[in-house]
């Protein structure tokens, strides 16, 4: 419509110019016409007047067309609310100017309102982002988010502690972050590629010291419906090493209790039969036998005595005695055990070291006699685990304080040797009765020590040190 009006104005202006030029041309002919042509002069004058009149009409039409927007603006302004009109506007130009100022004021007010709404939206977005960050930071489990390329985009504080990273964790690939847990790295890659969900999986891993670690993992796609090149993954990790060890300890304790109850009666019958065999062997020695018979009788008596010792140890394990609990200093127990095994260590050229003198005043509630026997057993096993041809011959006994996630205080006794360590397949079986890797022994000592520690409300675990050798850790509730 606007384009049509502009063309009409241009056409009117062109026609008016042509008519005006025609009038000027007729006027020129009238002025230059010869005096001998009296008839042409009235005609020329009439044509001039007609063309002049037409050009005036065209100019008026053109002027009206040009002034039409102005008249429309004046009409709209007159129809505006009375509150917008100024009492002092006596002419149209002043009224239109005041209307323009009112429109500009409204536009400025709308701009300010838009700026205010924009600021509110920005503040809401910032608050939502801060709220999301606080939620992620408050999650007690380790939380890591990955993009479609498998690079970490978000990570909370527990994740940095669990993965042992500081500020360089973001942007690293899943392979680098989960270098010590390759199974978890494979789960994240499968989730990114196919959108597969992994819920409450148990993963084998290792900490920065090389010790075995168990992780509970849930890996979920951030947008399951997205394409693989646009899908992310969210990984939630929990260190369940202590829970797993406790679960294994409880299962082992129940199995050992069942085994003890079942075999106590059988061991008692064996004890009676062994006593009879022991009497017959002694009787054979008193008979007038030749040298071969005396040797056989002596060997039989020795085997019967060994079998009797084994059955006695098994009966002690199967029928535990009630604890005589009192306040005991673990440091003093370690000192007593150290003095008792010192002769054995010297005969084998083994050095024994002790750490934890700052915890001399620490106390636990325990049966001193039974706990001393368990520690003695572990210290003797540590000495026997060091081969005769080993260059480094040392057993370290340390006492330290620790606390769990619930804030409970514990005292830890660690006995570490410099032997070859325990085969990985045997770590879960060494506390089972009659399981032993020694050429001589019944396999009751570790099982008995384990039962004693668990009866004190503690735990006994075995592991291999990254530097070599086995580590037996005793955890007992601390009193002070």
């Amino acid at each position: 419509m606007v384009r049509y009006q502009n063309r009409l104005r241009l056409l009117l202006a062109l026609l008016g110019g042509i008519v005006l030029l025609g009038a000027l041309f007729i006027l020129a002919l009238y002025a230059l016409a010869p005096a001998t042509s009296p008839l042409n002069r009235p005609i020329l004058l009439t044509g001039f007047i007609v063309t002049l009149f037409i050009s005036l009409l065209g100019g008026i039409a053109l002027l009206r067309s040009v002034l039409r927007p102005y008249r429309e603006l004046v009409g709209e302004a007159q129809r505006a609310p009375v509150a917008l009109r100024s009492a002092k506007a006596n002419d149209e130009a002043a009224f239109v100017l005041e209307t323009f100022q009112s429109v500009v004021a409204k536009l400025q007010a709308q701009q300010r309102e838009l700026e205010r709404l924009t600021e509110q939206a920005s503040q809401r977005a910032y608050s939502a982002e801060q709220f999301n960050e606080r939620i992620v930071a408050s999650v007690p489990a380790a939380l890591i988010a990955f993009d479609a390329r498998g690079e970490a985009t978000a990570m909370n504080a527990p994740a940095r502690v669990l993965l042992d990273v500081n500020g360089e964790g973001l942007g690293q690939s899943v392979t680098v972050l989960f270098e010590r847990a390759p199974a978890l790295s494979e789960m994240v890659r499968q989730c990114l590629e196919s959108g597969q969900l992994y819920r409450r999986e148990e993963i084998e891993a290792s900490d920065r010291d090389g010790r075995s670690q168990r992780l509970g993992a849930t890996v979920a796609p951030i947008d399951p419906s997205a394409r693989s090149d646009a899908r992310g993954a969210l990984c939630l990790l929990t260190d369940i090493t202590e829970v797993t060890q406790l679960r294994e300890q409880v299962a082992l304790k129940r199995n050992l209790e069942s085994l003890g109850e079942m075999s106590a009666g059988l061991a008692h019958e064996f004890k009676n039969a062994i006593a009879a065999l022991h009497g017959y062997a002694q009787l054979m020695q008193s008979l007038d036998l030749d040298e071969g018979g005396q040797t056989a009788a002596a060997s039989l008596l020795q085997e019967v005595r060994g079998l009797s010792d084994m059955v006695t140890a098994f009966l002690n394990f199967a029928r535990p005695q009630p604890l005589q609990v009192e306040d005991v200093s673990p440091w003093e127990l370690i000192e007593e055990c150290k003095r008792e095994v010192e002769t054995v260590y010297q005969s084998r050229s083994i050095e024994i070291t002790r750490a934890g003198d700052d915890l001399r005043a620490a106390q636990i509630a325990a049966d001193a006699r039974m706990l001393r026997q368990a520690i003695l057993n572990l210290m003797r096993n540590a000495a026997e685990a060091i081969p005769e041809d080993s260059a480094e011959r040392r057993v370290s006994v340390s006492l330290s304080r620790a606390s769990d996630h619930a804030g409970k205080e514990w005292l830890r006794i660690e006995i570490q040797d410099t032997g070859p360590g325990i085969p990985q397949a045997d770590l879960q079986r060494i506390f089972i009765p009659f399981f032993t890797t020694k050429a001589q022994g019944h396999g009751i000592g570790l099982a008995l020590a384990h039962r004693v520690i668990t009866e004190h409300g503690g735990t006994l675990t075995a592991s291999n040190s990254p530097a070599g050798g086995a580590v037996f850790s005793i955890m007992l509730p601390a009193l002070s």
Side-chain angles (χ1 to χ4, degrees):
M1 185 66 183
V2 176
R3 182 181 299 177
Y4 173 77
Q5 291 178 353
N6 291 335
R7 290 181 178 178
L8 182 60
R9 293 171 187 170
L10 180 61
L11 180 60
L12 290 176
L14 183 61
L15 290 177
I18 293 174
V19 172
L20 185 59
L21 289 177
L24 294 177
F25 180 72
I26 294 173
L27 181 60
L29 290 179
Y30 178 79
L32 297 178
T36 58
S37 303
L39 294 177
N40 295 333
R41 295 176 66 87
I43 295 173
L44 294 174
L45 182 59
T46 302
F48 170 74
I49 294 172
V50 171
T51 53
L52 183 60
F53 179 74
I54 292 174
S55 63
L56 289 176
L57 289 178
I60 293 172
L62 179 63
L63 185 61
R64 287 175 61 85
S65 176
V66 172
L67 294 178
R68 180 178 297 173
Y70 175 76
R71 291 198 306 273
E72 291 178 354
L73 183 61
V74 172
E76 292 294 333
Q78 290 177 348
R79 287 191 294 272
V82 179
L84 299 178
R85 302 177 185 176
S86 175
K88 297 181 180 180
N90 296 323
D91 53 357
E92 293 182 355
F95 180 69
V96 170
L97 179 61
E98 187 170 332
T99 303
F100 279 148
Q101 292 176 349
S102 176
V103 171
V104 170
K106 283 186 175 182
L107 291 176
Q108 291 177 347
Q110 292 177 354
Q111 182 180 4
R112 288 192 296 270
E113 180 67 15
L114 181 61
E115 291 177 353
R116 186 182 67 82
L117 294 177
T118 303
E119 180 65 23
Q120 288 182 354
S122 300
Q123 186 64 32
R124 290 194 190 98
Y126 178 76
S127 299
E129 182 179 358
Q130 293 294 317
F131 181 68
N132 292 336
E133 290 180 357
R134 286 194 294 269
I135 291 177
V136 172
S138 62
V139 173
L143 188 146
I144 310 104
F146 297 95
D147 58 15
R149 296 176 297 178
E151 297 179 354
T153 58
M155 185 181 303
N156 62 355
R160 299 181 187 277
V161 174
L162 182 63
L163 300 177
D164 193 22
V165 295
N166 295 323
E168 67 275 10
L170 296 179
Q172 290 188 355
S173 67
V174 60
T175 306
V176 176
L177 284 177
F178 297 151
E179 182 180 5
R180 298 194 297 265
L184 182 58
S185 176
E186 182 63 25
M187 287 168 52
V188 174
R189 283 198 295 267
Q190 289 293 332
C191 179
L192 292 174
E193 292 176 2
S194 61
Q196 184 174 356
L197 173 64
Y198 296 91
R199 191 189 303 272
R200 298 178 182 176
E201 299 286 340
E202 289 192 8
I203 304 298
E204 289 284 350
S206 59
D207 58 15
R208 60 180 177 180
D209 297 327
R211 296 182 179 179
S212 178
Q213 192 177 29
R214 298 293 292 273
L215 302 177
T218 295
V219 181
I222 294 178
D223 188 1
S225 61
R227 302 191 312 272
S228 59
D229 58 350
R231 185 186 300 121
L234 192 66
C235 186
L236 195 65
L237 300 177
T238 306
D239 188 353
I240 59 173
T241 304
E242 294 182 2
V243 176
T244 304
Q245 291 177 350
L246 181 60
R247 183 176 59 196
E248 294 172 352
Q249 295 279 340
V250 171
L252 180 60
K253 180 181 178 182
R254 289 176 179 173
N255 293 336
L256 294 180
E257 288 176 351
S258 300
L259 179 62
E261 293 174 0
M262 178 183 65
S263 57
L266 183 61
H268 182 71
E269 296 299 326
F270 283 170
K271 187 74 172 178
N272 294 334
I274 290 171
L277 289 174
H278 187 272
Y280 283 120
Q282 288 180 329
L283 179 60
M284 289 179 62
Q285 281 187 324
S286 64
L287 297 177
D288 187 12
L289 301 176
D290 57 10
E291 184 177 355
Q294 289 291 338
T295 302
S299 299
L300 177 60
L301 183 60
Q302 183 177 358
E303 292 297 328
V304 169
R305 287 173 177 171
L307 186 59
S308 178
D309 292 340
M310 182 186 69
V311 173
T312 301
F314 187 73
L315 280 174
N316 292 334
F317 171 79
R319 294 185 301 187
Q321 300 175 0
L323 299 179
Q324 303 295 326
V325 179
E326 58 181 336
D327 291 351
V328 177
S329 170
W331 187 86
E332 292 180 359
L333 280 181
I334 294 174
E335 277 295 302
E336 293 175 6
C337 294
K338 179 176 176 293
R339 287 193 297 267
E340 189 167 341
V341 300
E342 195 169 4
T343 303
V344 178
Y345 275 55
Q346 290 177 355
S347 65
R348 296 177 56 87
S349 301
I350 296 175
E351 177 188 4
I352 182 169
T353 62
R354 186 194 66 243
D357 291 348
D358 55 329
L359 295 176
R360 293 188 180 188
Q363 297 284 320
I364 59 174
D367 186 319
R369 181 183 61 83
M370 297 183 67
L371 187 58
R372 182 188 301 108
Q373 188 64 35
I375 297 175
L376 271 174
N377 197 347
L378 294 175
M379 294 177 70
R380 289 195 185 99
N381 286 347
E384 295 173 358
I386 301 176
E388 294 294 338
D389 58 350
S390 178
E392 187 177 6
R393 310 177 63 79
R394 185 179 69 257
V395 172
S396 303
V397 183
S398 63
L399 177 64
S400 60
R401 188 181 294 272
S403 59
D404 56 17
H405 296 294
K408 185 177 181 180
E409 293 293 326
W410 298 78
L411 288 177
R412 179 193 291 119
I413 302 174
E414 284 191 347
I415 301 173
Q416 179 177 352
D417 59 63
T418 56
I422 304 172
Q424 191 68 28
D426 296 340
L427 280 175
Q428 304 300 325
R429 300 191 295 167
I430 58 175
F431 298 116
I432 299 176
F434 302 111
F435 176 82
T436 180
T437 58
K438 301 178 183 177
Q440 296 178 348
H442 307 306
I444 297 294
L446 286 178
L448 186 59
H450 183 274
R451 197 209 65 199
V452 169
I453 299 301
T454 54
E455 286 181 349
H456 282 80
T459 60
L460 174 60
T461 58
S463 61
N464 290 317
S465 172
V471 181
F472 285 85
S473 298
I474 302 173
M475 297 286 287
L476 295 168
L479 293 180
S480 60

